[in-house]
Amino acid sequence: MVDTVLVANGSRLERDQLVLVTGGHGLLGKTLQSELRAQGFENIIAPKRNELDYLDLEATRAFFSEHRPHVVFHLASVVFGLLGNMENQVRAIADSTIINHNVFLTSAEMGVKKIFFAGSVASYPFPYTSLPLREDMLWQGVPHAGEFGYAHAKRHALAYLELLRDNTGLDFFYGILTNLYGPNDRFDDAHGHVIPSLIRKMHRAIHDGDPFKVWGSGVAKRDFMHARDAAAAIIAGMDQLSGVANISSGESVTIRNVVEALVKAAHYKEEIIWEVDKPVGVPDRSVSNEILREIGFRCSYGLDEGIRETWEWFENHILSARL
């Protein structure tokens, strides 16, 4: 049963708590660390993969035992875009489930006060019975076949956290994240997410003369959220919520809208080739953010501003960006 109960004061965040961020060096991890510091959190640890492999239970236990974090923001997982999820179904469910088990079990064993988990809108059942997607719809069917492994790893995490809460008292906030983008993303045009892959393709079109190709006809709709808005929403939710809530912009835009914003940001004048025979995944997805709005959260970024900032960041960091 999906729970969206507000947290009592005893579960609120305290600025002097030791915070662990897993997966802290990707798009959301770096942005979350920056936002935590901006909000006054100074005791933050975020080991890189070569410092701690969360697939290793004993290494995870040893790290928690040494540092004793009070709060965990658990972002680490095996992540791909649409094509990557389709091609890596078994790895997506196997590795992510092992990582989650190791972090959850150790958090409960070591007395962590509260844990955030980065869920995904890919976990919602498809086809959708109605839109926008609401939290109480999560268990009403099975996810889209193209993201089946990835989505079920995320679903399993919620069941695991609910059992731990009931059996050990570990409090949690499970955020169902929409499509994120922003600086420090992984700009992989073959396996990455929509906006960073389009930015990489645009960069190649401008600087290498490649044709700018976009999968689909542009009519598919998504909810896109800037990573800074997502980070602020996660912190607000950890401070005020327990259980499950969507983390989304609450607005649905077409892929054509995204391409138009990118064309404007890059001052691109050449032809756009729409590859209508390519897969687009779910044709239409909008995501309610009613619970976030009830606690006072509002997004700061519009699509044009967010894409312009991300494009400019990539142009200025092409040599160091993750590709």
Side-chain angles (χ1 to χ4, degrees):
M1 187 70 176
V2 174
D3 188 9
T4 54
V5 179
L6 291 177
V7 174
N9 288 338
S11 296
R12 298 182 76 98
L13 297 179
E14 299 174 11
R15 268 45 184 177
D16 61 350
Q17 290 175 319
L18 178 59
V19 173
L20 168 64
V21 181
T22 76
H25 299 276
L27 166 64
L28 183 56
K30 286 185 175 180
T31 310
L32 179 60
Q33 288 188 69
S34 177
E35 184 64 22
L36 283 165
R37 291 189 177 93
Q39 293 196 27
F41 293 88
E42 298 180 355
N43 300 319
I44 303 169
I45 50 176
K48 295 181 179 180
R49 186 174 300 177
N50 62 354
E51 298 172 317
L52 175 57
D53 181 1
Y54 292 105
L55 286 166
D56 185 332
L57 176 58
E58 292 312 312
T60 303
R61 279 176 165 153
F63 185 90
F64 273 67
S65 179
E66 178 183 356
H67 295 280
R68 295 287 175 170
H70 299 100
V71 175
V72 174
F73 290 85
H74 180 35
L75 315 180
S77 68
V78 177
V79 180
F80 304 98
L82 172 61
L83 181 60
N85 282 335
M86 292 172 65
E87 294 179 344
N88 295 275
Q89 297 270 19
V90 174
R91 183 183 170 200
I93 193 169
D95 285 3
S96 292
T97 299
I98 293 168
I99 290 169
N100 294 340
H101 165 70
N102 293 346
V103 172
F104 294 163
L105 182 65
T106 306
S107 293
E109 289 175 344
M110 300 292 175
V112 167
K113 302 300 181 186
K114 190 170 185 179
I115 186 168
F116 167 79
F117 181 77
S120 169
V121 291
S123 297
Y124 275 108
F126 185 83
Y128 305 139
T129 55
S130 64
L131 290 171
L133 298 173
R134 302 183 318 275
E135 295 81 357
D136 59 3
M137 300 164 61
L138 189 60
W139 298 106
Q140 294 177 359
V142 297
H144 188 276
E147 299 182 298
F148 197 80
Y150 171 75
H152 272 294
K154 297 294 187 180
R155 282 185 166 198
H156 176 266
L158 177 54
Y160 201 143
L161 287 169
E162 289 182 332
L163 288 169
L164 284 176
R165 179 190 57 193
D166 294 345
N167 286 273
T168 72
L170 176 63
D171 193 10
F172 72 87
F173 172 47
Y174 181 102
I176 306 177
L177 289 159
T178 190
N179 297 66
L180 305 184
Y181 70 98
N184 295 302
D185 209 337
R186 181 166 61 90
F187 296 85
D188 180 346
D189 58 346
H191 297 96
H193 291 133
V194 176
I195 290 179
S197 1
L198 288 173
I199 287 175
R200 180 79 186 283
K201 289 179 180 180
M202 176 64 78
H203 186 271
R204 284 180 166 162
I206 292 174
H207 295 281
D208 301 333
D210 291 355
F212 182 52
K213 298 180 179 180
V214 183
W215 284 16
S217 64
V219 300
K221 292 183 178 180
R222 292 290 184 275
D223 180 304
F224 293 102
M225 190 178 197
H226 194 285
R228 286 202 188 97
D229 283 332
I234 288 168
I235 296 169
M238 276 288 276
D239 193 41
Q240 300 182 58
L241 298 171
S242 184
V244 182
N246 289 329
I247 297 176
S248 68
S249 72
E251 297 183 4
S252 181
V253 299
T254 67
I255 301 302
R256 188 172 292 273
N257 294 146
V258 172
V259 170
E260 289 170 351
L262 179 55
V263 164
K264 185 191 305 182
H267 305 290
Y268 185 68
K269 305 297 184 184
E270 306 303 321
E271 181 184 8
I272 302 167
I273 300 173
W274 296 93
E275 298 186 290
V276 297
D277 59 328
K278 296 292 188 181
V280 296
V282 175
D284 187 1
R285 181 162 66 208
S286 58
V287 187
S288 169
N289 69 350
E290 184 178 348
I291 292 175
L292 285 181
R293 293 180 67 85
E294 286 176 353
I295 64 171
F297 175 80
R298 300 292 185 275
C299 286
S300 300
Y301 282 86
L303 185 68
D304 284 354
E305 178 189 5
I307 287 181
R308 182 177 64 252
E309 180 196 74
T310 309
W311 166 256
E312 292 173 354
W313 183 91
F314 183 70
E315 281 273 86
N316 293 326
H317 295 80
I318 180 63
L319 296 179
S320 59
R322 295 183 303 143
L323 303 175

